Amino acid sequence: MKKFNFRKVLDGLTASSPGSGSSGGSNSGGGAGSGSTHPAGTAGILREEIQETLTSDYFQICKTVRHGFPYQPTTLAFDPVQKILAIGTRTGAIRILGRPGVDCYCQHESGAAVLQLQFLINEGALVSASSDNTLHLWNLRQKRPAILHSLKFNRERITYCHLPFQSKWLYVGTERGNTHIVNIESFILSGYVIMWNKAIELSTKTHPGPVVHLSDSPRDEGKLLIGYENGTVVFWDLKSKRAELRVYYDEAIHSIDWHHEGKQFMCSHSDGSLTLWNLKSPSRPFQTTVPHGKSQREGRKPESCKPILKVEYKTCRNSEPFIIFSGGLSYDKACRRPSLTIMHGKAITVLEMDHPIVEFLTLCETPYPNEFQEPYAVAVLLEKDLIVVDLTQSNFPIFENPYPMDIHESPVTCTAYFADCPPDLILVLYSIGVKHKKQGYSNKEWPISGGAWNLGTQTYPEIIITGHADGSIKFWDASAITLQMLYKLKTSKVFEKQKVGEGKQTCEIVEEDPYAIQMIYWCPESRIFCVSGVSAYVIIYKFSRHEITTEIVSLEVRLQYDIEDIITPEPETSPPFPDLSSQLPSRSLSGSTNTVASEGVTKDSIPCLNVKTRPVQMPPGYQAELVIQLVWVDGEPPQQITSLAVSSAYGIVAFGNCNGLAVVDFIQKTVLLSMGTIDLYRSSDIYQRQPRSPRKNKQFIAGLTELNDSPVPQELERCKSPTSDHVNGHCTSPTSQSCSSGKRLSSADVSKINRWGPGRPPFRKAQSAACMEISLPVTTEESRENSYNRSRSSSISSIDKDSKEAITALYFMESFARKNDSTISPCLFVGTSLGMVLIISLNLPSADEQRFTEPVMVLPSGTFLSLKGAVLTFSCMDRTGGLMQPPYEVWRDPNNIDENEKSWRRKLVMNCPSPSQEIGDHQYTIICSEKQAKVFSLPSQTCLYVHNITETSFILQADVVVMCNSACLACFCANGHIMIMSLPSLRPMLDVNYLPLTDMRIARTFCFTNEGQALYLVSPTEIQRLTYSQEMCDNLQDMLGDLFTPIETPEAQNRGFLKGLFGGSGQTFDREELFGEATAGKASRSLAQHIPGPGGIEGMKGAAGGVMGELTRARIALDERGQRLGELEEKTAGMMTSAEAFSKHAHEVSCLCKYRHLHPVITLDI
């Protein structure tokens, strides 16, 4: 049956309906009707010229891969044959790692923490025990692992699990001290149970505590070692169902490990001691040591130390055994970091870690527990890192980790994603970054090398850039769904280190992390890189392959919201443009402050950070070209930067905040424009805002404070944008004053009310790219990654929204600055938080030689366009529907001494629309705000299409991207919806409720890019990549790595005749006979509940090629056959019962008939 596609019907109706919208006027505002509207006539011409090729069939949302360190890890497991590693987390996630490219993410639906993981060694399966007392069996023979079976314990809590090698019976210890046995194949509980009261001596009056260890003897599989928390160890004989011996110790037990011969085992205890026990003399320890305790006199007990949480006892054929443990340090060394201790013979090595140790595992050559283990590495799982130590070298170096486990080295504050970038960039960045890599790693290959991975079909270059709280920038190679760090840039190196007692001006803006990165702008073609930081600075970098030593050039910009001492300024006395010369700050090569503010003196013209004044040696890579800093104004700190754009072709950088706009020429190192937002309108401010002088009216301020603290209905607040929502010039923010009230506050007063007003509601405040303020409930612990934007003066409060208009979006483009212009010219599109779009005209010198000497003129053109909600993004298309890229300068090395003077001519790629002799529009501009998207035709400035994207929420991120050689608009909404619209008609292609906004981290880091790719920071340590491309969803299975590869299990070593005779039990132990239903019976149904997994059919398909696949299919067939036989048996029993009842009834009827037949004869005889 053919599948019906409703989206195709909608696409056809939308594309075929002629003039379906209202024929709105040609004013710049455009209609605000719902859906797509277009004026008659112009739209028809556009439809004939632009044929949109995208349909809804091109789009589908799915997650692709997750990068980074697993957040809040809890446990670790390793398959020594397949050589793959599994990590469980507190959020119910499992990450499975193999060779580079083999990285799989799984998630328990319940979200319960993973307590323990156990591989079915070389079987392609994994058992997980979660905190909701459920066991899960995962099938790893498919690229997306799925759960085959689940078993939920109803009465007892799981504390420890053990699965012997090549066994299908799993031992499960519980909090009550009991040990249960589970069949791995059927995931059914056996009737065989080791009760705690039978394991301990009858004379013992106390409960032994939870089971903390289970393991079978390497010497005899029929003996099970059970460790209890209170220090009791029981050696249980499974056949005779009794305790063969018992061991008691005064201190609590944390872990136990066998010697491979099965005659001795070692315990770690809570007092920092290690005890070695011999099975022949269990009355007391064979050896007791406190490795980190101070030596005492003979006869005295060693000094207690911190608990040894885990110990592993591994033997070597040609050397002394390894004793490896975590913890156990002396209490008098409280400041020492967490450590891992390696004891090899008489040598004791303490490896200090940067983070607390969660768990560690020793990687050994053999999977057989009764052979020499031959350890070669130790995998150490830390709270925020994974390291592997090489045991084969005496200095124990660590292996170089091929996975991107250090994304969170400093908290990620912003991200950028670039797909299909120039292919040579990755090699260039890697060649520079490899020179700065750390040294001292092991010279051996990474030991976790399991699985298989191919590049796949989609191999276009992809680069991810992350900005961090310490001011560092990391470039990552993200091609073919992998992630590898290419290059690291430290922006803090351009500033002087703050000494103790200094940096007060920075603390007024941010509580910590003064170098935190807020925004990133990168032009891959010109290799111009620009960042803005939380301390109100902008740094422009140029790429060079040569090392230089030079001074850092800095500029200080005074950007403020001007307050006039008049209520209504007269046009005659107030010029439309302020005197730019009075606003241009002097050029500073030293970065020193202009005014030194002492205590009691109002701070003015002081930057937040000090740029280095001495010559700085800059290594190859990105080198600072210019540092721009906003300064204090009349005692008020500079507001954080909310928008940033750079044009390499024009040599201009523009940035804005809630005070205004600044435009800087980074070629001539001069400020071109520093103007308040209101001044950009000249006399054409459609809101007619009249600034007032500041008044110290306590009653008025108190009233505003009450207004700010007044409760807002939850239903109303949910649909409000973080910025002011103006419709038809009226402020609809629930806590704002009316725009026509005539009352305004000065920026100084409003800022003080924002920062020091009493009764602030208990909400965490965070700033997004549009200077937005989103309120989320405060958790008990503020995460550090949000610290960079917890400024008390950075966000725009509801009181201040109608008087301060933030610059939220900037875009350089060759376009038409004014209505009905005949030629294009360099332009700067400016979007504001009130939905206004202003076009700034840039007048550049015509000759390239004059660009370095002649001034650049920057003037507002007087062109205004309007939308509903804060403007988020811009883009342009030519009349054929092709996406126009902003002009750029072709990269050249600025420090290449081999180039002569003639080759220093700048090479520009302008990307201008093709000239046409026809009279009409030649360019289409796409503008998207928090609420709607509009398409304007230039130079007529006619609104062709408008689409109201959301009414009850607001858009967090919007980008115009290219997919299948066609442009589309991608939006991520605060209600979790991801929406795709075709261009230029703005027809909806996709609308999926994908990701609810539960954390500001998602809003701050979500970004789209070309070719249907997107990403966001799903946790403080992990990046989640996703695709909205149907083609990639179809090919994703081929791009993912294989977790399981067919490998023959190594053969067991020949023990020899004498060892076989005297080394242990020569009889084979049949667990099936002992634990099966025939002998042990059935377990109580109320004890545990079997839950079939959703991955049964998928698992069978994934295992179709192997022996396990055949066993799986046979097992499922047997289960189905057994179920049918059971149903048949029940029906047969019912029929037999019915037949017996019928036979009994027939017999009674027959007897009655005989009696009636004989009764008349008897009567006659009488």
Side-chain angles (χ1 to χ4, degrees):
M1 180 177 178
K2 188 176 180 180
K3 187 178 179 181
F4 179 75
N5 195 327
F6 187 68
R7 290 188 295 180
K8 284 186 177 180
V9 179
L10 290 179
D11 293 342
L13 291 174
T14 308
S16 61
S17 57
S20 58
S22 60
S23 58
S26 61
N27 61 337
S28 62
S34 104
S36 298
T37 65
H38 44 79
T42 306
I45 296 174
L46 185 64
R47 282 180 178 269
E48 292 176 3
E49 294 179 350
I50 300 179
Q51 297 294 331
E52 297 181 4
T53 59
L54 293 178
T55 63
S56 58
D57 292 334
Y58 284 78
F59 301 96
Q60 182 182 346
I61 294 283
C62 73
K63 295 179 181 179
T64 55
V65 68
R66 182 171 293 199
H67 302 298
F69 181 76
Y71 184 54
Q72 295 180 333
T74 55
T75 187
L76 190 67
F78 182 71
D79 188 327
V81 179
Q82 289 290 321
K83 295 189 182 300
I84 56 176
L85 186 81
I87 301 174
T89 71
R90 199 175 300 170
T91 58
I94 299 176
R95 286 282 292 280
I96 305 174
L97 305 171
R99 67 175 66 248
V102 179
D103 187 344
C104 181
Y105 168 81
C106 315
Q107 176 68 47
H108 292 90
E109 291 185 1
S110 63
V114 181
L115 300 179
Q116 194 176 353
L117 296 172
Q118 285 274 318
F119 275 105
L120 276 68
I121 297 177
N122 205 28
E123 293 290 341
L126 176 72
V127 176
S128 63
S130 53
S131 61
D132 59 351
N133 307 311
T134 307
L135 298 173
H136 306 275
L137 178 63
W138 296 82
N139 179 21
L140 306 184
R141 291 182 175 243
Q142 56 193 78
K143 295 188 176 183
R144 295 278 194 181
I147 295 177
L148 295 175
H149 301 281
S150 296
L151 185 67
K152 182 174 178 59
F153 283 76
N154 299 322
R155 297 180 184 176
E156 302 187 57
R157 296 183 60 184
I158 300 172
T159 56
Y160 195 87
C161 299
H162 170 66
L163 180 64
F165 178 50
Q166 294 181 330
S167 169
K168 66 176 183 179
W169 297 96
L170 175 72
Y171 301 108
V172 181
T174 67
E175 190 178 34
R176 293 185 180 179
N178 302 325
T179 301
H180 301 275
I181 301 171
V182 178
N183 188 311
I184 288 297
E185 292 183 349
S186 61
F187 240 57
I188 296 176
L189 204 61
S190 169
Y192 192 108
V193 183
I194 304 174
M195 305 299 293
W196 68 270
N197 53 356
K198 293 183 179 179
I200 65 174
E201 288 183 344
L202 297 177
S203 60
T204 305
K205 298 181 180 179
T206 59
H207 191 278
V211 176
V212 296
H213 178 81
L214 291 169
S215 62
D216 53 341
S217 170
R219 193 179 184 186
D220 186 356
E221 296 177 350
K223 307 292 176 60
L224 183 67
L225 193 69
I226 308 173
Y228 295 95
E229 189 180 53
N230 72 339
T232 302
V233 180
V234 176
F235 196 48
W236 183 265
D237 190 333
L238 294 170
K239 291 182 178 179
S240 62
K241 298 182 181 181
R242 64 180 182 85
E244 187 170 302
L245 62 87
R246 297 179 179 89
V247 167
Y248 299 96
Y249 195 70
D250 296 337
E251 298 293 335
I253 292 176
H254 285 280
S255 68
I256 304 175
D257 199 18
W258 280 100
H259 187 278
H260 82 276
E261 293 181 351
K263 300 177 182 179
Q264 298 175 345
F265 61 89
M266 181 175 288
C267 302
S268 68
H269 300 277
S270 58
D271 63 345
S273 63
L274 295 174
T275 56
L276 186 63
W277 300 82
N278 196 317
L279 296 181
K280 293 183 178 180
S281 56
S283 59
R284 62 176 183 173
F286 174 72
Q287 182 181 355
T288 302
T289 59
V290 182
H292 294 296
K294 293 182 179 180
S295 59
Q296 304 285 348
R297 295 179 181 177
E298 294 184 2
R300 295 186 61 183
K301 186 178 180 180
E303 180 189 15
S304 296
C305 294
K306 296 178 182 178
I308 295 179
L309 302 179
K310 184 177 182 179
V311 64
E312 292 204 348
Y313 188 20
K314 303 300 178 183
T315 56
C316 303
R317 185 180 299 274
N318 299 320
S319 65
E320 296 291 330
F322 280 90
I323 299 174
I324 306 171
F325 60 89
S326 61
L329 296 179
S330 176
Y331 279 106
D332 61 355
K333 298 178 180 179
C335 297
R336 286 190 64 172
R337 294 185 293 178
S339 64
L340 183 78
T341 304
I342 302 175
M343 300 174 61
H344 188 211
K346 296 182 179 180
I348 300 179
T349 304
V350 179
L351 303 179
E352 291 188 344
M353 305 295 170
D354 294 332
H355 309 285
I357 298 175
V358 177
E359 191 176 352
F360 72 90
L361 284 176
T362 306
L363 311 187
C364 301
E365 294 288 352
T366 177
Y368 295 94
N370 57 354
E371 297 177 357
F372 284 100
Q373 299 299 291
E374 302 294 343
Y376 59 90
V378 179
V380 187
L381 179 64
L382 309 177
E383 279 190 358
K384 294 185 178 181
D385 201 0
L386 172 68
I387 66 171
V388 180
V389 181
D390 187 357
L391 295 179
T392 61
Q393 300 183 37
S394 58
N395 59 340
F396 302 126
I398 64 173
F399 290 89
E400 185 177 2
N401 198 328
Y403 314 124
M405 293 292 184
D406 57 346
I407 293 176
H408 62 286
E409 183 179 12
S410 176
V412 178
T413 54
C414 60
T415 58
Y417 193 6
F418 300 88
D420 203 12
C421 51
D424 60 329
L425 269 180
I426 292 179
L427 293 177
V428 169
L429 290 172
Y430 179 78
S431 63
I432 298 295
V434 73
K435 299 176 182 178
H436 304 285
K437 280 192 173 182
K438 295 180 181 179
Q439 304 298 324
Y441 292 112
S442 173
N443 54 9
K444 295 190 176 181
E445 293 185 358
W446 181 253
I448 304 169
S449 56
W453 178 73
N454 298 317
L455 284 175
T457 56
Q458 297 179 348
T459 57
Y460 49 81
E462 298 176 73
I463 292 179
I464 294 173
I465 304 177
T466 55
H468 300 265
D470 63 351
S472 61
I473 303 287
K474 292 182 180 179
F475 292 77
W476 306 84
D477 178 12
S479 306
I481 69 171
T482 61
L483 197 69
Q484 180 182 7
M485 196 175 81
L486 298 172
Y487 173 69
K488 182 177 180 179
L489 173 66
K490 295 181 180 180
T491 63
S492 60
K493 287 189 174 182
V494 304
F495 300 107
E496 297 283 0
K497 291 184 179 180
Q498 292 185 334
K499 298 179 181 179
V500 179
E502 293 184 359
K504 266 191 172 182
Q505 57 266 31
T506 306
C507 295
E508 302 256 354
I509 300 181
V510 288
E511 297 176 13
E512 55 185 359
D513 299 328
Y515 307 111
I517 305 299
Q518 272 190 311
M519 304 186 72
I520 293 173
Y521 192 96
W522 188 44
C523 178
E525 290 79 11
S526 64
R527 303 186 188 177
I528 290 289
F529 185 67
C530 186
V531 298
S532 67
V534 71
S535 299
Y537 65 83
V538 173
I539 308 177
I540 301 170
Y541 289 91
K542 286 188 176 181
F543 188 84
S544 175
R545 301 188 184 192
H546 302 279
E547 180 179 318
I548 61 170
T549 301
T550 183
E551 291 186 355
I552 300 174
V553 182
S554 66
L555 287 175
E556 295 172 2
V557 178
R558 187 182 180 91
L559 190 59
Q560 65 175 339
Y561 178 74
D562 290 329
I563 302 298
E564 303 289 341
D565 199 16
I566 53 177
I567 296 181
T568 305
E570 296 294 335
E572 293 81 3
T573 60
S574 178
F577 292 97
D579 186 9
L580 295 181
S581 61
S582 64
Q583 295 189 8
L584 296 182
S586 60
R587 175 176 174 180
S588 170
L589 296 179
S590 63
S592 60
T593 59
N594 296 332
T595 304
V596 179
S598 60
E599 292 188 10
V601 180
T602 302
K603 295 179 182 178
D604 189 67
S605 301
I606 302 175
C608 298
L609 300 172
N610 294 326
V611 180
K612 289 181 178 178
T613 58
R614 61 185 182 278
V616 178
Q617 184 178 2
M618 300 182 184
Y622 275 104
Q623 300 167 351
E625 177 77 6
L626 177 65
V627 179
I628 308 168
Q629 290 182 282
L630 297 181
V631 297
W632 287 63
V633 178
D634 297 330
E636 288 296 323
Q639 300 296 308
Q640 292 179 3
I641 295 169
T642 59
S643 56
L644 177 67
V646 182
S647 174
S648 60
Y650 304 154
I652 294 176
V653 57
F655 58 92
N657 59 12
C658 60
N659 284 337
L661 172 69
V663 181
V664 176
D665 184 347
F666 63 81
I667 293 179
Q668 300 185 26
K669 311 294 191 298
T670 57
V671 179
L672 303 177
L673 180 71
S674 175
M675 188 178 290
T677 312
I678 294 180
D679 296 327
L680 296 174
Y681 288 97
R682 306 168 90 181
S683 59
S684 304
D685 185 4
I686 64 171
Y687 293 110
Q688 297 300 318
R689 288 161 292 195
Q690 304 296 335
R692 298 175 62 92
S693 60
R695 298 178 181 178
K696 296 181 179 179
N697 189 337
K698 295 182 179 180
Q699 182 177 0
F700 182 51
I701 293 177
L704 286 174
T705 305
E706 292 174 3
L707 176 64
N708 190 28
D709 294 340
S710 60
V712 180
Q714 185 177 4
E715 293 79 5
L716 183 62
E717 185 67 25
R718 188 182 296 115
C719 65
K720 294 301 177 184
S721 163
T723 56
S724 56
D725 183 12
H726 286 263
V727 183
N728 299 325
H730 299 288
C731 180
T732 61
S733 178
T735 58
S736 299
Q737 289 182 320
S738 171
C739 289
S740 59
S741 64
K743 294 184 179 180
R744 295 291 182 269
L745 285 178
S746 70
S747 62
D749 288 343
V750 170
S751 180
K752 290 177 182 178
I753 292 172
N754 283 341
R755 292 187 283 130
W756 298 292
R760 294 184 62 189
F763 288 108
R764 176 193 299 144
K765 294 189 176 181
Q767 183 177 343
S768 72
C771 193
M772 299 185 292
E773 181 178 305
I774 299 178
S775 297
L776 295 174
V778 171
T779 57
T780 56
E781 184 177 305
E782 285 281 340
S783 58
R784 181 169 175 261
E785 68 269 7
N786 286 332
S787 63
Y788 82 101
N789 51 23
R790 284 180 286 179
S791 165
R792 291 174 290 183
S793 61
S794 62
S795 56
I796 307 173
S797 71
S798 57
I799 304 173
D800 201 18
K801 287 173 186 173
D802 53 359
S803 61
K804 279 192 176 182
E805 186 175 5
I807 306 297
T808 58
L810 295 168
Y811 183 69
F812 286 100
M813 192 63 200
E814 292 282 315
S815 185
F816 300 92
R818 295 171 181 82
K819 191 172 184 179
N820 298 325
D821 276 358
S822 58
T823 58
I824 62 173
S825 61
C827 296
L828 171 62
F829 287 78
V830 181
T832 73
S833 58
L834 298 185
M836 295 301 298
V837 177
L838 303 85
I839 301 180
I840 307 294
S841 178
L842 308 175
N843 189 1
L844 301 173
S846 56
D848 184 67
E849 295 80 7
Q850 299 175 350
R851 179 63 185 87
F852 297 91
T853 57
E854 295 295 324
V856 178
M857 301 300 294
V858 179
L859 292 174
S861 65
T863 299
F864 307 107
L865 307 173
S866 65
L867 288 86
K868 185 165 57 174
V871 179
L872 298 180
T873 189
F874 299 95
S875 191
C876 288
M877 301 176 69
D878 58 25
R879 63 182 305 161
T880 63
L883 190 64
M884 296 176 58
Q885 300 297 332
Y888 63 89
E889 177 188 2
V890 178
W891 176 80
R892 62 173 176 81
D893 197 328
N895 304 317
N896 194 348
I897 59 177
D898 297 333
E899 295 183 357
N900 53 32
E901 294 294 331
K902 293 183 179 179
S903 62
W904 276 70
R905 183 179 178 87
R906 301 173 70 224
K907 298 179 182 179
L908 305 181
V909 179
M910 302 308 293
N911 294 322
C912 299
S914 58
S916 176
Q917 301 296 329
E918 300 178 8
I919 300 176
D921 293 337
H922 302 279
Q923 193 180 74
Y924 306 105
T925 299
I926 300 99
I927 309 174
C928 184
S929 71
E930 292 175 328
K931 294 289 187 178
Q932 63 180 190
K934 287 185 178 182
V935 177
F936 291 93
S937 176
L938 298 180
S940 67
Q941 299 179 10
T942 303
C943 181
L944 297 178
Y945 294 94
V946 56
H947 181 72
N948 290 328
I949 300 175
T950 178
E951 295 291 345
T952 60
S953 185
F954 56 92
I955 299 172
L956 291 168
Q957 182 67 32
D959 282 297
V960 176
V961 295
V962 175
M963 183 171 161
C964 300
N965 297 321
S966 298
C968 58
L969 177 64
C971 302
F972 173 54
C973 202
N975 58 12
H977 283 249
I978 292 180
M979 293 163 282
I980 310 293
M981 284 150 281
S982 66
L983 290 177
S985 65
L986 297 177
R987 288 186 296 114
M989 297 283 101
L990 179 73
D991 188 352
V992 176
N993 187 4
Y994 172 76
L995 182 69
L997 182 62
T998 56
D999 199 318
M1000 271 306 302
R1001 182 190 310 108
I1002 299 174
R1004 192 178 66 247
T1005 59
F1006 197 100
C1007 54
F1008 295 98
T1009 188
N1010 298 330
E1011 308 300 337
Q1013 306 286 344
L1015 65 82
Y1016 61 94
L1017 203 68
V1018 69
S1019 73
T1021 62
E1022 295 169 291
I1023 289 178
Q1024 177 67 57
R1025 292 169 65 180
L1026 58 104
T1027 181
Y1028 48 92
S1029 167
Q1030 178 68 58
E1031 181 183 2
M1032 188 167 183
C1033 290
D1034 296 338
N1035 298 330
L1036 183 60
Q1037 199 72 9
D1038 298 331
M1039 301 173 67
L1040 297 175
D1042 292 307
L1043 297 174
F1044 178 81
T1045 54
I1047 299 176
E1048 186 177 354
T1049 303
E1051 295 183 0
Q1053 297 179 2
N1054 188 4
R1055 303 182 65 189
F1057 175 75
L1058 294 178
K1059 285 190 176 181
L1061 185 63
F1062 302 105
S1065 175
Q1067 300 177 359
T1068 58
F1069 177 62
D1070 189 359
R1071 294 187 177 92
E1072 180 68 31
E1073 180 182 354
L1074 187 61
F1075 302 145
E1077 184 177 336
T1079 305
K1082 291 184 178 181
S1084 173
R1085 292 185 178 181
S1086 60
L1087 183 61
Q1089 177 186 1
H1090 176 260
I1091 305 172
I1097 298 178
E1098 296 179 5
M1100 186 174 66
K1101 292 179 180 178
V1107 177
M1108 181 63 77
E1110 300 296 334
L1111 293 176
T1112 304
R1113 283 195 294 270
R1115 192 184 309 121
I1116 293 175
L1118 287 174
D1119 290 343
E1120 293 176 351
R1121 183 184 178 189
Q1123 185 177 1
R1124 289 194 297 268
L1125 288 175
E1127 294 175 355
L1128 180 61
E1129 184 179 357
E1130 291 177 358
K1131 291 181 180 179
T1132 303
M1135 293 176 64
M1136 291 179 63
T1137 304
S1138 177
E1140 290 177 358
F1142 179 80
S1143 175
K1144 182 179 180 180
H1145 182 67
H1147 179 70
E1148 292 175 353
V1149 172
S1150 176
C1151 292
L1152 181 62
C1153 291
K1154 289 181 180 179
Y1155 174 77
R1156 288 181 177 179
H1157 179 71
L1158 296 174
H1159 186 69
V1161 177
I1162 296 173
T1163 304
L1164 291 176
D1165 290 342
I1166 292 173

